[in-house]
Amino acid sequence: MKRSTLIIVGLSLLAVGCPDTRSSRSPQTVADIARVEADLQGVKARVTSLEGGNGSVQALEKRVAALETRPVNVFVSGGGGTASPDWQPVKGGANGNGGTAATPTATPVDGGGPKRPSLVSADEKQGIDAWNSLRPREAGEKPVRGGSIRVCFASQPAKLNSHLDNSAVTGYITTYINESLIEQNGVTFEFEPLLAKAWEKEDMLYEIVGDEPITNVEFVASQQKWVRKEADGTTQDWWPWEIVKEGSGFKKLKLKEHIGVVTKTAKGYTIKDKAGKTKSFTLAAVTEVNTGTVFTFHLRENALWHDGNPVTVEDIIFSLDFIKCEFVDCPSLRSYYKDVRPATKVGPNSVQIIYEKQYFKAIEFAGGIVAFPKHVFDPDNLLVNDPKAFGEKFNKHPMHRRPVGSGPYKFSKWDEGISVTLTRFEGYHSPEKGGYLDELTWRFIPERQAALASMRAGEIDLLPGMTPTQYFDETKGDFEKRFVKPLYYYGNMGYMGWNMRRPPFDNQKVRKAMAHGALNIPEFIKTVLYGAGQQVAGSQYIKGPAYDHSIKPYPFSPKMARKLLREAGWFDRDGDGVIENADGMPFEFEMLTPQGSPTTRQMMAIVEQNLSNLGIKMSIRELEWAVFIDNINSRAFDACRLGWGQSIESDPFQLWHSSGSEDGSNHCGFVSAEADELILKLRKTLDKKERQKLHFAFQKILYEAQPYTFLYCGPALGAYNPRFHGVRFTPLRPGYDLREWYDVDAQK
Amino acid sequence: MRDYILRRLLLVPVTLFGISVITFMIIRLAPGDPAEMKVSPGVGGEQQADKNVSKEIYERTLEQFDLDKPRHMQYLRWVGKLCGIDVQVEGAKNVYKAEVLALLVEKYKGISAPQIEKRKGEIEVSVAKEAKLAIRARDARLQRDLNEGTSPDPEFVKQEAAKFEARYGPAGQEARAEKQLNAWIKAQAADQRFKYGDEINTIRARFRTEYGDDFESYFSWKGLALNRTQDGGWYPLDFGRSFKDDREVLVILKEKIPRSLELSLFSIFLAYVIAIPIGIHSSVSQGKLSDQVITTTLFVLYSLPSFWVAIMLLLLVSAGGVFLRWFPVGGLGPDVTDPISLFEHLFHLVLPVFCLTYASFAYISRQMRAGMLEVIRQDFIRTARAKGLPEHVVILKHALRNGMIPLITIVAVILPALIGGSVIIETIFNIDGVGQLSFTAILTRDYPIIMAIFTLSALLTLFGILLSDVLYVIVDPQISFEGK
């Protein structure tokens, strides 16, 4: 996971569906085991009723045994670690009730022919992803090397550089070419070595060594910094701990930095550095201690670039420096790395990266730096000597179309508009993580029907991103015998946002009434989305640790909605069927939706109907994305339908801090002092349990204020060829890792 | 006639100018901000940057793509590039920045001469070290080439060696060291800027009085120069670079046009070859059963939307379909290198060409039929028949020529259609041609691409109209340019 934070899902609002895997945080509880057992009873009954599945029953028995003994670790495959997490990911629950029945006979390893009963209930559909995750490991087969896979994507990258082209497709493809220092395990969510074989975390202590007066500084909430505007219009800024208020003026502290492990003592702080030297400070001498912000990464000595050169510390330094170079065309990434200091070399193979402030995602940023080869892009140190020339050269460097990386796969060819192919890199430093398939190909097919047809024609092996209609209607029967249809989740959440800056949505009761009366979400999921989707009640990823499951979504109740509206002063005063407030203003508003999503169109038709029953006139305006986002950014809307992508645990600052209301992503204008305080505290809290409490408290505030009517989290729907085993779906984007896949036919 | 054509050709640039002004203004006035989209990619993108933080970045993006300048300057710069002329404008903001920096560099230099000396020494050492490393790397590379037996063209090696010498030789090292030192001094100066608040304020005040309060958005003309390539040659026909992938628009078009062209050539050819005889036939047998059957069939075809037909074909007769798995699903198949792949390639074209073609049968054959019917009733046809000429000679020699007039009108549209591509068919059959390109370019506000495609289409339309006018004269001697 290179980058975190919330993402506008935008067009992917089509997203749908969902397995019910709610509270699977501790799957080993008695209840879970009981449920698994109950599932298995069902499975056995079903399987025996299948015709001709002879060999598969035994396979199933085996799996039953496996499930009963070790419900969690079974899922860990490929290069994944086996650490048992205290935050159990969704996949662990093995709760796929009927889903267990969906695939057992499908795998060719079992000997039985491909045979899969058709899906019966929504529960069964939801189980498939859990099931697929399990399947191959159980057969006890050894992964084989060789073979190839063809994956279908809807669009092609602009450049094969995830920094210059931050489209999702580029990100997915380049993870196999360019690696980061460390990576997040999809099951445990722990970080594991990748390009760095090991790393250490230290603290930063700021000792006060003097001060000088300073004028005209002011604290800017959105940046959480002291800022001074200079005469020429530029700004200078300082961290909160660098400026102290003194009487009516301010003084700027002169600070000395100490790096090491800090312990708090009765008198002050002691810091122990790497050499083992300790130093003590009194409380008064220290202005700030940032815990866990100094990272030292030790690179693998045997890591090579695809052209044969070794990966060095200089490459890592370069990789961070060019992100920070203002002439390089990666503005959004740069703003994310603004709090990371340029890397420094601290040993022949060690690099130190300092995050400027204490932040629970510091490791994600520091360790998520993707390595790029300096000798390819900047052999003449242009980045240092002439950044502008470097930027111009780098932005259009031809090597972005045939990249050189250090990852498990190297670039092989790019047929413009048709496909990109990577082949396995034999010099990869960690062969056990290097992937089994010899070749990965991405085919680009923009049209969904054509993509499905290509799948049927056997031209592609993995089709992520089917539409619900395709998944549930058009691929029944024959298709299911030939392909496995996984349904898997990664973080996303849809919502209807209400502009809290102006009436009628400036009233909390009105927004609550919307939650009650606008849409029967469970019903919508059931009927329109074929049951594939899970209603949410907060902005965090529903299967992540930051989502509080004790908060239930508001039930659909027009009666409740009417009551709330009346309390807020809205009722039909003149008998025309439209409700008015005390000023006689009728309740009319406009709903903005981005163009192109049939699901949204269906939803809005229902919402319009429901609201008109409440006496509210809603008009719907579908806008092209560019125009839509213009309107949202200029806050020229009453209500909008949008979605966010989420990481496992998102930082709520971007979406919900009051500073983003003016100009940032807080487009609904949610402003709450209490929430601000919680968010800032939460960002600094490193203890997971502690942070979870804060997340939960924050969700409660959000739930009360209802700036959004939270809709649902939709799954990704796809299909793949059953000749691939080792398949596992995780909540990390894009949900699967082709390094774990292997082709059972490759041996033949 | 020559004069006429010449006159018309002279009008082309004028008309084109008008068209390009209008298209340019329309797409610039449409809502949507490419710089904004670059900063916060939204759709499918990974993240949205905080606008506060990225304000400066946003401005730089504007500058990079000329979007910060007034629209008429944007347009003239665009036209200039097309003609190989660099229309230079200068933002007061940049002049101001440069002046401030110059002031700071001046100030800073004065303060710390010894420091500069020290830094100079450091830089020289590092440059020398770097050169040593580069030489080592080059030797290793040469050695590897030697081992693998893949030594490149000697001429190329010589050139490379010269470049290498220029960069890492003594003179090159000196130049680089100086450049680095200057960069360092500038950087130091930038750090010190707040110390010179008063002097900076004076400069600012001067700019304010000169250009007004918002002098940062003021641009003035600076001059003209020829656009040059890196090695100094003239560089006309520069459509700019795509916002999306930073490649030159012409390179992108060169890649996509052949794909669309192939499809449209086939489809237009087939459409005419099939529709014209049909049209003639139904005009000759007007009102008979065969005419009625043909007319009905063609109108049914005409009213079937092509996206629906395309998807039905995919479902019914493609390899990914459910019934007859005859045709490939999409793409253009292999490049044509041997007869077998030529066959396969043509096989890939069948479905898309069919979808592009069937609807125009009705249109063209109706035009043909109408044109013919009008002619057939005329006196000279009756005369021809009376002369006792065989019916096929009457129809094909005398009637057909005159009946072509309505068809010629369509020629004007064919030229731009050749390269225009079809969004729907290209998308469904996964052919990465001009249609898809222009569609995504419009959605992402990729101005250089949109402008290039519009300009080319406009140009071709103009030539198409000219061509059809000329054809009128050739086909029908009664029409003449003289005396108009």
Side-chain angles (χ1 to χ4, degrees):
Chain A
M1 190 67 223
K2 277 172 284 176
R3 307 166 199 161
S4 55
T5 55
L6 299 152
I7 307 156
I8 290 202
V9 177
L11 289 186
S12 68
L13 286 180
L14 317 144
V16 233
C18 117
D20 176 15
T21 35
R22 288 265 275 268
S23 49
S24 39
R25 235 172 285 121
S26 55
Q28 285 164 338
T29 57
V30 182
D32 274 89
I33 291 174
R35 200 180 54 202
V36 168
E37 271 168 2
D39 293 349
L40 293 169
Q41 289 308 317
V43 175
K44 282 179 192 168
R46 203 182 303 264
V47 166
T48 38
S49 72
L50 292 173
E51 343 130 75
N54 30 9
S56 51
V57 178
Q58 282 100 32
L60 196 73
E61 298 279 1
K62 253 191 259 164
R63 182 172 357 201
V64 170
L67 256 185
E68 280 166 353
T69 48
R70 30 180 206 139
V72 185
N73 290 336
V74 159
F75 307 107
V76 180
S77 66
T82 48
S84 181
D86 52 341
W87 308 66
Q88 183 50 38
V90 289
K91 291 289 155 42
N95 65 338
N97 301 346
T100 33
T103 50
T105 53
T107 134
V109 206
D110 293 341
K115 191 150 288 162
R116 195 174 302 118
S118 65
L119 301 170
V120 183
S121 68
D123 280 344
E124 283 190 350
K125 292 166 197 158
Q126 288 158 8
I128 295 179
D129 62 330
W131 224 181
N132 281 325
S133 312
L134 272 170
R135 210 181 42 162
R137 280 286 137 181
E138 253 150 307
E141 66 179 6
K142 286 247 174 0
V144 280
R145 278 193 157 213
S148 62
I149 190 168
R150 291 155 301 169
V151 185
C152 173
F153 274 1
S155 60
Q156 74 162 353
K159 295 170 188 170
L160 280 174
N161 179 318
S162 54
H163 289 0
L164 296 180
D165 170 19
N166 49 8
S167 69
V169 286
T170 308
Y172 298 159
I173 295 175
T174 51
T175 42
Y176 298 101
I177 308 172
N178 295 96
E179 10 168 49
S180 46
L181 291 169
I182 56 178
E183 68 174 341
Q184 201 172 10
N185 182 305
V187 173
T188 63
F189 304 154
E190 298 292 333
F191 287 94
E192 291 176 358
L194 201 57
L195 199 50
K197 62 181 175 195
W199 69 95
E200 290 138 25
K201 228 193 268 189
E202 286 169 293
D203 312 326
M204 173 75 92
L205 181 144
Y206 294 95
E207 184 196 3
I208 306 172
V209 290
D211 57 54
E212 59 184 13
I214 191 166
T215 49
N216 290 333
V217 286
E218 79 178 303
F219 193 72
V220 175
S222 61
Q223 301 178 28
Q224 293 294 309
K225 273 181 166 184
W226 292 97
V227 174
R228 189 172 74 176
K229 284 212 163 60
E230 302 298 342
D232 62 345
T234 57
T235 53
Q236 288 263 311
D237 53 37
W238 293 275
W239 292 101
W241 54 87
E242 287 181 278
I243 306 280
V244 207
K245 200 164 178 188
E246 196 187 42
S248 57
F250 297 91
K251 61 182 184 181
K252 180 183 173 299
L253 302 178
K254 279 187 188 153
L255 300 176
K256 195 176 165 202
E257 294 173 349
H258 299 273
I259 293 171
V261 178
V262 175
T263 36
K264 201 164 179 211
T265 59
K267 284 179 203 155
Y269 297 96
T270 1
I271 185 162
K272 189 176 176 188
D273 65 13
K274 276 228 186 78
K277 273 191 225 156
T278 54
K279 223 174 181 182
S280 294
F281 300 94
T282 60
L283 270 180
V286 174
T287 168
E288 180 83 6
V289 174
N290 283 339
T291 312
T293 54
V294 181
F295 301 93
T296 310
F297 294 95
H298 306 288
L299 303 186
R300 292 180 197 269
E301 288 88 358
N302 59 345
L304 294 176
W305 294 109
H306 295 156
D307 60 8
N309 290 304
V311 180
T312 63
V313 172
E314 279 71 26
D315 291 317
I316 305 299
I317 296 174
F318 165 74
S319 302
L320 182 55
D321 281 354
F322 86 73
I323 296 176
K324 296 175 93 63
C325 168
E326 56 179 336
F327 300 99
V328 170
D329 205 359
C330 58
S332 42
L333 191 64
R334 180 151 57 252
S335 78
Y336 276 86
Y337 272 96
K338 67 182 196 304
D339 293 339
V340 182
R341 265 190 217 174
T344 46
K345 186 172 181 170
V346 290
N349 258 317
S350 306
V351 60
Q352 188 176 62
I353 297 172
I354 297 175
Y355 203 86
E356 295 271 18
K357 60 187 183 195
Q358 191 170 322
Y359 185 27
F360 76 96
K361 287 194 168 240
I363 178 81
E364 223 171 276
F365 283 98
I369 289 167
V370 180
F372 287 91
K374 182 168 189 276
H375 68 275
V376 170
F377 291 113
D378 191 22
D380 326 327
N381 264 328
L382 211 56
L383 178 56
V384 180
N385 301 331
D386 190 352
K388 190 164 185 190
F390 172 79
E392 274 161 19
K393 191 176 144 203
F394 187 78
N395 289 341
K396 38 189 152 170
H397 205 291
M399 289 306 274
H400 296 319
R401 297 186 67 79
R402 42 192 160 93
V404 171
S406 61
Y409 286 87
K410 60 180 180 188
F411 175 79
S412 154
K413 71 172 181 183
W414 183 345
D415 277 343
E416 171 66 28
I418 297 166
S419 66
V420 164
T421 303
L422 313 181
T423 50
R424 202 176 48 229
F425 174 45
E426 294 303 338
Y428 189 58
H429 53 72
S430 318
E432 75 282 0
K433 279 188 171 191
Y436 302 112
L437 299 165
D438 282 344
E439 204 172 78
L440 313 179
T441 301
W442 283 267
R443 293 271 316 270
F444 308 115
I445 306 179
E447 217 280 325
R448 297 290 82 196
Q449 281 299 340
L452 187 58
S454 300
M455 185 89 197
R456 281 209 171 96
E459 287 172 14
I460 50 180
D461 303 313
L462 165 63
L463 172 62
M466 281 203 238
T467 67
T469 328
Q470 287 182 331
Y471 187 88
F472 293 106
D473 272 349
E474 293 169 16
T475 54
K476 281 187 183 156
D478 191 38
F479 188 90
E480 282 168 350
K481 286 188 194 135
R482 294 174 55 207
F483 302 106
V484 188
K485 291 202 303 186
L487 177 155
Y488 52 99
Y489 278 81
Y490 45 79
N492 70 83
M493 171 270 293
Y495 64 87
M496 287 185 270
W498 315 109
N499 192 342
M500 295 169 69
R501 294 173 192 82
R502 55 198 203 198
F505 297 116
D506 55 350
N507 186 321
Q508 178 240 5
K509 287 208 162 116
V510 173
R511 297 191 302 268
K512 240 171 149 172
M514 293 296 132
H516 277 298
L519 182 67
N520 187 342
I521 300 163
E523 189 63 27
F524 181 82
I525 293 172
K526 210 167 110 192
T527 51
V528 178
L529 307 180
Y530 301 81
Q534 192 161 357
Q535 190 178 4
V536 295
S539 67
Q540 289 283 350
Y541 179 35
I542 187 161
K543 292 165 189 228
Y547 184 93
D548 185 357
H549 289 276
S550 70
I551 297 177
K552 301 284 175 226
Y554 291 103
F556 178 70
S557 156
K559 207 172 133 197
M560 206 50 210
R562 215 165 271 135
K563 185 169 158 263
L564 284 162
L565 286 169
R566 181 169 271 275
E567 280 172 24
W570 293 92
F571 54 91
D572 191 359
R573 292 164 198 263
D574 54 10
D576 64 350
V578 178
I579 56 176
E580 288 92 13
N581 66 1
D583 306 333
M585 183 176 122
F587 200 136
E588 289 175 356
F589 72 97
E590 189 179 67
M591 171 69 81
L592 291 192
T593 70
Q595 216 168 44
S597 159
T599 316
T600 301
R601 214 168 288 152
Q602 274 167 298
M603 176 187 291
M604 285 311 140
I606 301 171
V607 170
E608 189 184 10
Q609 184 58 43
N610 286 340
L611 291 183
S612 94
N613 289 343
L614 294 174
I616 297 170
K617 265 171 94 174
M618 176 178 100
S619 50
I620 304 161
R621 195 144 70 107
E622 264 198 38
L623 292 174
E624 182 202 347
W625 179 254
V627 186
F628 177 84
I629 210 69
D630 249 12
N631 273 291
I632 299 293
N633 285 341
S634 58
R635 314 297 188 230
F637 69 102
D638 294 321
C640 64
R641 161 82 173 94
L642 253 179
W644 291 103
Q646 307 146 320
S647 48
I648 306 288
E649 182 185 354
S650 303
D651 176 3
F653 186 88
Q654 184 195 346
L655 283 201
W656 302 116
H657 192 262
S658 56
S659 61
S661 161
E662 191 77 12
D663 229 0
S665 299
N666 185 354
H667 49 259
C668 284
F670 171 76
V671 176
S672 148
E674 193 190 352
D676 281 358
E677 199 180 318
L678 263 179
I679 291 171
L680 294 180
K681 194 166 162 205
L682 188 156
R683 297 181 104 193
K684 281 186 74 169
T685 307
L686 300 178
D687 181 75
K688 286 178 183 172
K689 289 247 158 68
E690 203 55 42
R691 196 164 68 239
Q692 187 178 38
K693 275 185 206 149
L694 297 171
H695 274 303
F696 285 8
F698 174 70
Q699 191 180 337
K700 218 151 253 150
I701 297 177
L702 213 54
Y703 180 74
E704 274 311 312
Q706 285 289 308
Y708 293 169
T709 292
F710 297 102
L711 297 170
Y712 53 82
C713 167
L717 308 169
Y720 69 88
N721 193 314
R723 77 168 198 270
F724 295 101
H725 286 199
V727 176
R728 181 175 68 157
F729 291 96
T730 70
L732 293 183
R733 274 163 200 282
Y736 51 87
D737 184 348
L738 296 178
R739 288 179 302 170
E740 296 172 354
W741 295 38
Y742 57 89
D743 181 351
V744 282
D745 292 347
Q747 263 172 334
K748 292 165 197 164
Chain B
M1 176 134 152
R2 204 189 58 206
D3 290 350
Y4 177 79
I5 293 176
L6 213 66
R7 226 180 314 140
R8 286 284 298 266
L9 282 178
L10 284 177
L11 271 177
V12 165
V14 182
T15 327
L16 202 59
F17 173 76
I19 294 175
S20 70
V21 170
I22 292 169
T23 37
F24 191 90
M25 288 305 154
I26 287 177
I27 58 174
R28 291 294 152 113
L29 291 173
D33 180 348
E36 173 83 46
M37 290 173 98
K38 197 117 188 167
V39 177
S40 53
V43 194
E46 283 282 302
Q47 61 222 187
Q48 194 182 33
D50 204 323
K51 220 178 168 185
N52 288 323
V53 183
S54 55
K55 206 147 205 156
E56 197 175 330
I57 298 159
Y58 173 76
E59 279 168 12
R60 188 171 306 288
T61 314
L62 285 182
E63 202 179 315
Q64 191 182 343
F65 297 118
D66 269 357
L67 296 168
D68 54 342
K69 303 175 178 71
R71 290 210 175 82
H72 64 279
M73 286 186 180
Q74 290 179 25
Y75 176 73
L76 286 175
R77 276 179 61 77
W78 179 80
V79 173
K81 272 194 201 159
L82 208 54
C83 308
I85 297 164
D86 183 18
V87 180
Q88 292 161 337
V89 297
E90 193 166 56
K93 183 168 63 180
N94 294 348
V95 183
Y96 166 75
K97 274 186 186 164
E99 268 192 43
V100 169
L101 194 65
L103 168 88
L104 295 173
V105 170
E106 192 50 41
K107 286 270 176 192
Y108 196 78
K109 254 183 186 160
I111 295 167
S112 58
Q115 254 178 313
I116 291 177
E117 275 310 304
K118 188 176 159 228
R119 181 70 193 168
K120 201 173 163 196
E122 284 171 16
I123 287 175
E124 272 161 9
V125 171
S126 101
V127 165
K129 205 164 134 196
E130 205 182 288
K132 217 185 264 170
L133 279 175
I135 290 166
R136 212 156 72 195
R138 179 198 55 181
D139 292 346
R141 215 162 40 229
L142 288 177
Q143 189 58 46
R144 200 185 57 202
D145 285 348
L146 210 66
N147 292 345
E148 290 173 2
T150 54
S151 55
D153 176 31
E155 190 53 33
F156 177 75
V157 172
K158 218 192 249 167
Q159 280 174 17
E160 285 296 294
K163 272 190 202 163
F164 196 86
E165 182 59 31
R167 190 177 285 161
Y168 294 110
Q173 282 190 34
E174 204 171 292
R176 275 148 50 79
E178 197 186 318
K179 213 170 171 186
Q180 286 190 28
L181 185 68
N182 284 335
W184 180 77
I185 290 172
K186 265 188 196 171
Q188 299 307 306
D191 275 354
Q192 301 288 320
R193 69 184 141 206
F194 57 92
K195 281 191 183 166
Y196 304 103
D198 286 346
E199 277 142 288
I200 291 172
N201 271 340
T202 331
I203 300 182
R204 197 175 175 79
R206 183 155 56 76
F207 272 84
R208 280 231 168 99
T209 46
E210 199 169 330
Y211 299 111
D213 270 352
D214 56 342
F215 70 87
E216 293 197 351
S217 56
Y218 184 87
F219 287 87
S220 55
W221 300 107
K222 209 177 140 198
L224 298 176
L226 282 188
N227 249 348
R228 301 260 175 219
T229 54
Q230 274 177 346
D231 36 349
W234 185 44
Y235 184 30
L237 282 186
D238 178 11
F239 280 101
R241 281 170 180 272
S242 160
F243 290 174
K244 187 180 154 221
D245 55 10
D246 260 320
R247 289 194 301 152
E248 276 178 50
V249 172
L250 272 189
V251 173
I252 298 177
L253 285 181
K254 257 182 218 158
E255 216 168 68
K256 316 264 176 182
I257 286 180
R259 295 177 187 165
S260 295
L261 190 65
E262 188 175 12
L263 284 184
S264 41
L265 275 179
F266 272 110
S267 105
I268 291 171
F269 176 73
L270 282 179
Y272 276 78
V273 162
I274 295 172
I276 290 180
I278 293 180
I280 297 172
H281 174 81
S282 57
S283 70
V284 174
S285 50
Q286 187 199 3
K288 288 186 194 151
L289 184 65
S290 68
D291 178 33
Q292 282 169 357
V293 169
I294 287 172
T295 310
T296 318
T297 319
L298 289 183
F299 270 94
V300 168
L301 278 183
Y302 185 62
S303 51
L304 294 177
S306 63
F307 68 87
W308 181 80
V309 171
I311 287 183
M312 287 322 276
L313 286 176
L314 270 189
L315 286 177
L316 296 178
V317 299
S318 83
V322 283
F323 294 115
L324 306 166
R325 301 193 168 154
W326 288 348
F327 297 99
V329 176
L332 282 177
D335 283 334
V336 198
T337 41
D338 59 281
I340 296 171
S341 61
L342 174 67
F343 177 74
E344 212 184 317
H345 181 79
L346 292 176
F347 210 49
H348 275 85
L349 291 177
V350 174
L351 293 185
V353 167
F354 174 77
C355 291
L356 284 172
T357 315
Y358 75 85
S360 42
F361 288 161
Y363 184 63
I364 298 174
S365 64
R366 288 307 283 184
Q367 292 280 356
M368 191 69 226
R369 181 174 178 270
M372 286 292 282
L373 283 178
E374 204 178 304
V375 177
I376 281 176
R377 294 201 191 92
Q378 285 187 6
D379 289 345
F380 72 93
I381 294 291
R382 207 173 300 134
T383 316
R385 282 194 177 129
K387 267 200 312 195
L389 287 178
E391 183 66 10
H392 68 267
V393 178
V394 176
I395 297 297
L396 295 182
K397 194 172 167 201
H398 295 275
L400 181 60
R401 191 163 165 173
N402 291 283
M404 294 282 274
I405 300 278
L407 277 189
I408 289 170
T409 319
I410 316 180
V411 170
V413 196
I414 292 180
L415 273 188
L418 276 177
I419 64 140
S422 153
V423 180
I424 294 170
I425 300 302
E426 283 182 9
T427 311
I428 293 178
F429 289 103
N430 196 29
I431 293 159
D432 191 36
V434 184
Q436 276 199 49
L437 177 73
S438 44
F439 184 62
T440 46
I442 288 171
L443 284 189
T444 54
R445 304 286 188 272
D446 198 339
Y447 296 153
I449 299 253
I450 305 177
M451 282 311 291
I453 293 177
F454 280 8
T455 313
L456 280 183
S457 309
L459 191 69
L460 289 175
T461 311
L462 292 178
F463 280 117
I465 294 172
L466 179 61
L467 189 68
S468 65
D469 285 353
V470 173
L471 284 178
Y472 283 140
V473 179
I474 294 173
V475 169
D476 187 351
Q478 288 176 17
I479 303 173
S480 145
F481 296 132
E482 315 307 324
K484 265 198 221 167

